[in-house]
Amino acid sequence: MSRVEVRCADITLSCVDSGSGHPVVLLHGLAGSAQEMLPIAESLLQRGCRFIAVDQRGHGFSTRRPRDLSREAYVRDVVAVVEELAAGGPVSLVGQSMGGHTAMLVAARHPALVRRLVMLEAGVGGGDDAASYPAELGDWFRSWPVPFANAAAAAEFLGSAPIARSWVRDLEDRPDGLWPRFEPDVMQAAITAVAERSRWEEWQAVEAPTMLVRGGNGTLPAAEVRQMLALRPDVRHVVIPDAGHDVHLEQHDASVQVLLEFLDC
């Protein structure tokens, strides 16, 4: 397993690649990174699956301040990764939250690249609160009292939830303290692009076998899920109990099990 870089236009994408074979490409959610996906990735690797975990633009070790934060830019990035690291595919795409939205758009626009699609707590975008929640998220990220003096200080502020522990593990150690591997204004702009409109046309255009995985206490609106399944009744729908939006972190074993049952590694 190693870190590799892929150039896409004017940015650099950092990926963790486990080696040769037909890969599962893993896309984290907003303010995450490849590091967040590694526990799932390593479990898949132990069962014979290759993985490529991507730091999406604006996240992790990839370009921190990309000029373009459109949905189209994120799609181009995944295409570049598949073409350079996976010989043009097809690959299985697994994305959580914003990463799942990106994966869906890739599958809709580049069907030849995608063998299977898994969306973890991810929907079609848009929604009733689309005008307010990107700004609320941006304000919350800006409220972090960075730099943190140490990991204990970060954990005291961020809490003990699985996603908080993941953020703490991923902090960048600089001379003045620990910093997140993202910028709040970049996160706000990235999620604004997801929220600006619902992508029902793209959802219906996906040809790859698809699985929608939700946490029993997740955040996807029930009405959105019902419409997604009504428009594509062939989609496999799995609800993992005792999990919220970060289902892959909160219920690791159950998440790995449903992925292995669905993926063609």
Side-chain angles (χ1 to χ4, degrees):
M1 167 185 332
S2 60
R3 278 253 174 211
V4 295
E5 291 186 346
V6 174
R7 288 290 300 175
C8 185
D10 60 341
I11 73 156
T12 299
L13 299 167
S14 180
C15 307
V16 181
D17 188 352
S18 69
S20 60
H22 296 296
V24 178
V25 176
L26 299 164
L27 303 175
H28 60 79
L30 184 77
S33 73
Q35 178 274 140
E36 170 189 323
M37 308 301 287
L38 288 183
I40 290 284
E42 291 168 351
S43 293
L44 295 177
L45 180 63
Q46 291 171 6
R47 291 159 177 83
C49 300
R50 176 191 175 192
F51 71 81
I52 300 171
V54 183
D55 282 344
Q56 296 183 81
R57 61 172 58 207
H59 297 76
F61 290 89
S62 294
T63 298
R64 192 176 180 99
R65 282 194 170 278
R67 290 196 296 265
D68 189 352
L69 291 162
S70 66
R71 294 282 71 210
E72 291 71 24
Y74 280 87
V75 168
R76 289 195 302 271
D77 292 347
V78 177
V79 171
V81 168
V82 173
E83 289 180 341
E84 181 162 336
L85 301 182
V91 302
S92 294
L93 280 183
V94 177
Q96 191 265 341
S97 193
M98 186 185 80
H101 190 267
T102 303
M104 176 192 71
L105 296 180
V106 173
R109 297 175 185 177
H110 302 274
L113 299 185
V114 182
R115 177 188 288 116
R116 291 179 183 265
L117 170 67
V118 180
M119 299 170 66
L120 303 171
E121 274 289 312
V124 298
D128 295 336
D129 59 350
S132 59
Y133 83 81
E136 292 170 359
L137 277 174
D139 287 343
W140 185 69
F141 289 132
R142 280 185 284 271
S143 77
W144 291 19
V146 293
F148 295 111
N150 49 47
E156 182 178 0
F157 176 79
L158 294 170
S160 60
I163 186 61
R165 295 198 298 269
S166 180
W167 278 326
V168 172
R169 286 192 299 270
D170 207 28
L171 290 168
E172 179 183 358
D173 191 359
R174 301 181 187 174
D176 60 345
L178 301 177
W179 291 81
R181 294 189 184 275
F182 58 81
E183 298 291 345
D185 59 321
V186 172
M187 297 301 96
Q188 183 173 336
I191 201 63
T192 296
V194 177
E196 64 183 0
R197 65 183 178 91
S198 300
R199 305 283 184 147
W200 292 110
E201 182 178 350
E202 289 89 342
W203 170 248
Q204 293 179 83
V206 173
E207 299 175 1
T210 301
M211 181 167 67
L212 177 63
V213 181
R214 298 166 56 216
N217 303 313
T219 60
L220 276 183
E224 181 177 338
V225 173
R226 286 195 298 270
Q227 188 170 355
M228 291 174 74
L229 298 176
L231 291 171
R232 293 187 57 204
D234 59 316
V235 168
R236 185 179 300 186
H237 179 217
V238 178
V239 178
I240 297 180
D242 302 319
H245 187 59
D246 300 296
V247 58
H248 60 306
L249 297 173
E250 297 171 23
Q251 292 293 341
H252 172 271
D253 291 346
S255 298
V256 170
Q257 180 178 343
V258 299
L259 288 174
L260 288 171
E261 289 172 354
F262 181 74
L263 294 175
D264 179 20
C265 293

